[in-house]
Amino acid sequence: MADLPGSAECVIVGGGVVGCSLAYHLARDGMRPLLLERGDFGAGSTARCAGGVRQQFSTEVNVRVGMLSRRLLERFEDEVGATADFRPIGYLFVATDAAQLEQLARNVEMQRAAGLHDVRLLGPGEVAGIVPDLNVDDVTGGTFCPSDGLAGPNEVTSGYVAAARRHGARVVEGVGVDAVERDGDAVVAVVAGGTRISSPLVVNCAGPYAAVVGAMAGVDVPVRPFRRHLFLTERFSLRRDPPMTVDMRTSFYFHPEGDGLLLGMSDPAEPPSFDTNVDWTFLEHLVEHATHRLPALEGAAIRTGWAGLYEVSPDHQAIVGESELGGFWLCCGFSGHGFMQAPAIGRILAAEITGAGSEIDLGPFAPDRFARGASTPEAAVI
């Protein structure tokens, strides 16, 4: 059993990539946080994600967060001291009707105004030029941003853990939080591993379990877990190395992974649950849509598959900020964007917590936005 302290300046609950990024940034900014993870660091949803890093969103705040994350990943080794395995292979969104293309056009206009200057709107021929093996018979156009890409979930998480330790953070795995104590309208302690740890500041970075941790504190956190599948093909190559490619109509996506392709798609019929067992019947559903968009996959063999959890908020936007319980902060609900947003969110939230002032306004992510009727749905969700 870990030797836990009796008090901490800040307790971070959840050691996925978001919690680890926050621990690093708080420690770098002079705080000495205690990070608690009930399993292994980054072994939950982080380890099961597709590793995508994009700036193409439909809301300005997510575009700005995406741009900052990409910049931080580009200089990750210099700043954090480890590789992020960042590969700017680009993201291609493919539209198949006029409404989707109009949405993409509006997105590009807003994205460029926000500073994302290398994104561009494409016609069907240009889409085919980027991925020659794609079926574009029903494609109306798309968007492409070459500075989007992929990074390594394990590399980024472990890099943040090591750097957080070097800066004085206490990071402990294999210890879950069993209770959150409050005194009136303020948080005062957590109980973990049989130890009561007093703290005026607790940050809920529990991902799919954010609502469970919130309930411990008497705070309703509107985050629900949904299973998402990924499948990896055997050795497989296309005429040209493709970017991360997303079919907007079905949400089917693929990108190179090792010597194969990683395939994924959301399932609108999937109920909320903590189930991460692979439903192999879903593969049949995915293959039907996958082979229509990428006919070459008809000859592909599947090497393996796995499932992880999306932590979904009502508007598919992150929930970041102090809750109605004083000192109890939320950093969850990323709706599939946690890995790609973690570098920026850790830095921004650390600045907010320490009073340094964040470079991006967290207002659109405020926990009370739902009660105020002020939420703006993110449409670019896979």
Side-chain angles (χ1 to χ4, degrees):
M1 183 63 67
D3 182 21
L4 297 174
S7 64
E9 286 184 80
C10 171
V11 176
I12 301 170
V13 183
V17 66
V18 171
C20 294
S21 172
L22 179 60
Y24 161 71
H25 285 97
L26 282 174
R28 190 200 62 174
D29 291 349
M31 188 174 277
R32 295 295 175 262
L34 170 65
L35 171 63
L36 298 175
E37 164 56 42
R38 66 176 188 167
D40 297 329
F41 292 124
S45 295
T46 300
R48 298 165 183 261
C49 77
V53 175
R54 67 178 161 102
Q55 306 149 96
Q56 293 184 75
F57 286 93
S58 69
T59 58
E60 183 177 341
V61 65
N62 280 332
V63 174
R64 293 188 182 281
V65 167
M67 289 192 297
L68 177 57
S69 274
R70 191 255 302 158
R71 292 196 298 271
L72 293 174
L73 288 169
E74 284 179 328
R75 58 178 190 255
F76 194 83
E77 188 163 2
D78 290 338
E79 180 185 326
V80 179
T83 179
D85 193 24
F86 177 56
R87 291 153 281 160
I89 67 170
Y91 254 75
L92 172 67
F93 281 88
V94 178
T96 55
D97 63 41
Q100 290 171 358
L101 193 59
E102 288 171 6
Q103 175 70 60
L104 289 178
R106 289 193 298 270
N107 291 353
V108 167
E109 183 178 5
M110 177 272 294
Q111 290 159 4
R112 287 179 172 166
L116 185 61
H117 301 303
D118 60 341
V119 66
R120 65 182 192 269
L121 193 65
L122 309 174
E126 293 170 299
V127 170
I130 293 174
V131 186
D133 294 278
L134 214 61
N135 172 18
V136 297
D137 290 347
D138 57 346
V139 169
T140 55
T143 59
F144 181 64
C145 182
S147 57
D148 290 341
L150 306 170
N154 179 66
E155 288 85 351
V156 173
T157 305
S158 61
Y160 278 139
V161 169
R165 283 193 174 114
R166 288 197 306 272
H167 284 278
R170 182 81 180 273
V171 293
V172 181
E173 55 189 351
V175 176
V177 169
D178 302 312
V180 178
E181 295 184 9
R182 56 187 291 167
D183 182 4
D185 294 330
V187 69
V188 294
V190 301
V191 178
T195 299
R196 182 182 186 276
I197 306 162
S198 64
S199 179
L201 180 60
V202 176
V203 187
N204 181 353
C205 294
Y209 296 89
V212 176
V213 174
M216 294 179 187
V219 174
D220 179 28
V221 180
V223 170
R224 296 191 296 169
F226 287 87
R227 177 172 60 175
R228 290 291 185 267
H229 286 85
L230 289 168
F231 299 96
L232 181 63
T233 72
E234 295 284 2
R235 180 184 293 273
F236 191 84
S237 62
L238 300 172
R239 278 181 282 172
R240 181 178 302 168
D241 288 341
M244 171 71 113
T245 303
V246 183
D247 184 335
M248 291 182 65
R249 182 175 68 84
T250 63
S251 79
F252 165 65
Y253 64 88
F254 63 91
H255 71 66
E257 185 72 20
D259 59 3
L261 288 180
L262 190 70
L263 316 176
M265 190 172 73
S266 62
D267 180 4
E270 182 77 34
S273 76
F274 293 103
D275 184 9
T276 56
N277 293 308
V278 175
D279 177 7
W280 288 99
T281 63
F282 179 69
L283 178 59
E284 301 172 14
H285 178 67
L286 181 147
V287 166
E288 176 186 351
H289 296 288
T291 53
H292 168 74
R293 185 58 57 217
L294 191 64
L297 283 173
E298 291 179 0
I302 298 298
R303 178 182 301 170
T304 188
W306 63 92
L309 297 175
Y310 270 22
E311 43 168 317
V312 180
S313 74
D315 60 3
H316 298 280
Q317 298 260 39
I319 302 174
V320 185
E322 191 171 15
S323 73
E324 69 268 24
L325 177 63
F328 188 71
W329 290 64
L330 305 181
C331 188
C332 52
F334 289 90
S335 303
H337 312 134
F339 173 67
M340 64 182 70
Q341 294 188 331
I345 288 295
R347 172 166 156 165
I348 297 164
L349 184 54
E352 192 83 8
I353 288 172
T354 60
S358 60
E359 58 215 276
I360 297 175
D361 178 16
L362 288 173
F365 296 151
D368 68 350
R369 68 183 185 270
F370 305 108
R372 291 186 286 109
S375 67
T376 303
E378 171 57 59
V381 178
I382 300 173

